[in-house]
Structures are given as C-alpha cells and as structure tokens.
Amino acid sequence: MDGNNQTTVTEFLLLGLSEESEQEDLVFGMFLGMYMVTISGNLLIILAVSCDPHLHTPMYFFLANLSSVDICFSSVTIPKALVNHMVGSKSISYTECMVQIYFLITFVTLDSFLLSVMAYDRYVAICHPLHYTLMMRPRLCVLLVTISWVIANLNALLHTHLMVRLTFCSHNAVPHFFCDPYLVLKLSCSDTFINNVTIFTEGGMIFMTPFVCIVVSYAYICSKVLKMPSVQGIRKAMSTCGSHLTVVCLFYGAILGIYLHPSSSYSLQDAMASVIFTVVTPLTNPFIYSLRNRDIKAALRKIILRS
C-alpha cells in the first residue's frame, strides 16, 4: 500500500509474539492448551455455583458472572490467533479488528467492575455481618451486575466509535496476536488527539473508579480485621478475601503496567504483560478460587461423584 495516495486499509496483519516458526508452534500449543483449560475451568465454576444450593449467595453469584466474563474475554483474542496459525495467515479484516477491540474493551471493563463489586461484597460480609442479607439482597446483586454490563458496553462503544472515525493508510502491521487498541491507534495516519484525550480522561476514570473502590473496601476490611480479638476470627475473615485479592493483584498488576504510559513507549515487556491479563488471568481464576475455597471444592466433588 502506498501511503501517498491515502489507500484505506481493509485488513491488519497480526504479527504475533514471535517471528520464528518453531517459537510460533510452541506459542500455538501453549495458547491452545491454556484456552481449553480456561474454558473448562470456568465452566466448572459456573456449573458448581448453579447446581449447589449452598452456593446460591451473592459472593458466588458474582463469581459465576466473573467466570462467564473470563470465558468471553479469552474467546475474543485466542481463537483468532489459533485459526490464523492453522491456516498460515496473519491477517484480520478491518471489521473483525474493530469488533475485537469493542469486545476486548467491554470484557476488560467488566472484569474490573465485577472485581470491585466482589470487593464491596466482602466489605459488607466482614464489616456488617448482621446486615449482610439485607444489604446484599438478590435484587441489588442483579442491579450491580447489570450496571457493570451497561457501563462496560457504553465505554467500549465510545472508544470503538472514535477508532472507526480514524483513517488507516499504509501501515497495517500490529506487533501482537490481537488488535490491541493502543497498537492499532499508532497505525492511524489521521489525528488521534481526541482518542488519546478520551483514553486518559474517560477511560482512566472508568478504569480507576473500580480500582479505588477495591482499595477503599480493603482499607475498611483491614481496619475491621485488626480490631478482631481472636486470631481465628482474623484468619476466617482473611480466608474469604485471599482468593479475590490474589486475582485483583494479578489483573491490575499487569494492566496498570501497560496502560499507564503513552502508546509510543509500548515494548515487548508490555506485550508479555498483556498476555498475562488476556490469557493467564482468565486461566488462573478458576484455580485460585477453587483451590482456596472449601465450598467450591465440595461442590465440584459432588458434581464429579454424580457423574
């Protein structure tokens, strides 16, 4: 394509994480294995919560929703990368790329909001145990999840709309295995000032709001735990938060390291960090919650014995 005649890009090239065929085969095998484990692990969490009446509580309702989002999250990027490797192609159409960006932003936003909702649930359970049933009634739980979905979709719609307005000329190579919005933005030959301002204002607010909610919730939780008279009470309180806190650190640790700087400084380390929150985090969530949670392990054990 010749950038001088402003030829419009009709497809992008996903260069992947490596240009060597042997390493590409290794990445393909790893991604295929991790994707299958991600889908099966999160489906087991959803199945356990659905089938066991003892898990029909707000905490596990949010966990089942998080597992559903993680399945969708990993399905946005990995299948396309696997198909491209099998057919020996690196291309993705312009429309597919924009759709991928939309759903990627949607599920990243949903993950962060659901994690904040789960933090609030733990805050109520530990700081206001006597009023937990009243404060976390089913209607409120459904409303919190619904609001999260609405905000996530509106946020994705805004950023995707701004991306679609841009013109892409000669350069169409994305040095990643999916259409990362920041990398695609760098390829535009039109003015991206509005996009950048929107990302660092509206996008930053959408992302940091649930993060601040999580920090505040755990600040109150820590304050409450430190006032508990018995060590057993402290252990019990922290055991209910351990799994969630681990997932929060993994998710935000990766994503904050990537997107809290201009897109021009994107590096290989950023690409590896993005793999953590797009591939590794959805994979590890079922293991973190099941291995550290007796109720989930008991429900899974019942399902296995029944089958």
Side-chain angles (χ1 to χ4, degrees):
M1 295 182 186
D2 186 4
N4 295 327
N5 58 16
Q6 297 291 298
T7 302
T8 303
V9 167
T10 58
E11 67 175 15
F12 293 95
L13 297 179
L14 302 177
L15 302 183
L17 299 175
S18 175
E19 296 181 358
E20 299 182 11
S21 58
E22 293 183 357
Q23 292 183 354
E24 286 185 349
D25 292 338
L26 177 61
V27 171
F28 171 80
M30 291 176 58
F31 274 22
L32 178 60
M34 288 190 291
Y35 181 64
M36 294 177 65
V37 173
T38 298
I39 299 299
S40 57
N42 282 288
L43 282 176
L44 282 174
I45 295 292
I46 296 171
L47 185 62
V49 173
S50 302
C51 296
D52 194 332
H54 295 94
L55 300 184
H56 293 175
T57 62
M59 184 177 82
Y60 295 110
F61 171 72
F62 296 135
L63 177 58
N65 276 274
L66 182 66
S67 293
S68 301
V69 171
D70 283 340
I71 290 174
C72 298
F73 187 15
S74 59
S75 298
V76 171
T77 57
I78 300 179
K80 179 61 179 177
L82 296 177
V83 170
N84 276 5
H85 181 83
M86 289 190 296
V87 300
S89 172
K90 293 182 179 291
S91 65
I92 181 172
S93 70
Y94 175 85
T95 301
E96 287 178 324
C97 186
M98 294 301 113
V99 170
Q100 194 175 75
I101 287 174
Y102 175 84
F103 284 110
L104 181 68
I105 296 174
T106 297
F107 294 124
V108 169
T109 307
L110 260 175
D111 253 354
S112 62
F113 271 85
L114 285 176
L115 288 173
S116 69
V117 169
M118 294 172 75
Y120 174 72
D121 173 75
R122 293 299 83 206
Y123 156 74
V124 176
I126 294 174
C127 298
H128 305 281
L130 298 179
H131 300 91
Y132 180 77
T133 305
L134 179 64
M135 294 177 67
M136 297 303 297
R137 54 191 181 276
R139 182 176 297 180
L140 176 62
C141 295
V142 173
L143 180 62
L144 289 173
V145 172
T146 302
I147 291 175
S148 299
W149 273 95
V150 171
I151 293 176
N153 278 276
L154 290 177
N155 181 49
L157 185 63
L158 171 63
H159 290 283
T160 307
H161 173 69
L162 292 176
M163 187 75 73
V164 171
R165 293 174 63 251
L166 300 177
T167 302
F168 297 91
C169 305
S170 57
H171 302 292
N172 68 337
V174 181
H176 219 323
F177 68 94
F178 65 93
C179 284
D180 188 301
Y182 286 82
L183 297 180
V184 174
L185 192 62
K186 289 175 61 179
L187 300 177
S188 174
C189 55
S190 55
D191 187 12
T192 61
F193 176 76
I194 295 178
N195 297 71
N196 290 323
V197 170
T198 305
I199 288 171
F200 287 102
T201 53
E202 186 274 344
M205 182 181 68
I206 288 292
F207 181 76
M208 291 305 295
T209 298
F211 179 73
V212 171
C213 290
I214 293 172
V215 172
V216 171
S217 296
Y218 274 103
Y220 278 105
I221 289 173
C222 289
S223 176
K224 180 70 174 181
V225 167
L226 292 175
K227 295 178 182 178
M228 290 182 176
S230 66
V231 177
Q232 185 178 1
I234 295 176
R235 288 178 179 176
K236 183 177 180 181
M238 295 310 298
S239 65
T240 63
C241 301
S243 300
H244 176 261
L245 197 56
T246 303
V247 173
V248 168
C249 292
L250 184 62
F251 178 80
Y252 278 98
I255 203 168
L256 286 175
I258 302 168
Y259 296 123
L260 282 186
H261 54 74
S263 59
S264 59
S265 60
Y266 204 94
S267 64
L268 178 60
Q269 288 75 16
D270 297 324
M272 298 309 297
S274 68
V275 171
I276 293 177
F277 84 85
T278 57
V279 181
V280 178
T281 302
L283 168 71
T284 55
N285 283 357
F287 293 99
I288 292 173
Y289 282 106
S290 61
L291 293 177
R292 295 177 61 91
N293 191 297
R294 294 180 181 178
D295 295 333
I296 291 291
K297 287 191 288 187
L300 291 174
R301 194 176 297 113
K302 290 180 181 178
I303 293 174
I304 294 173
L305 292 176
R306 287 177 185 175
S307 60

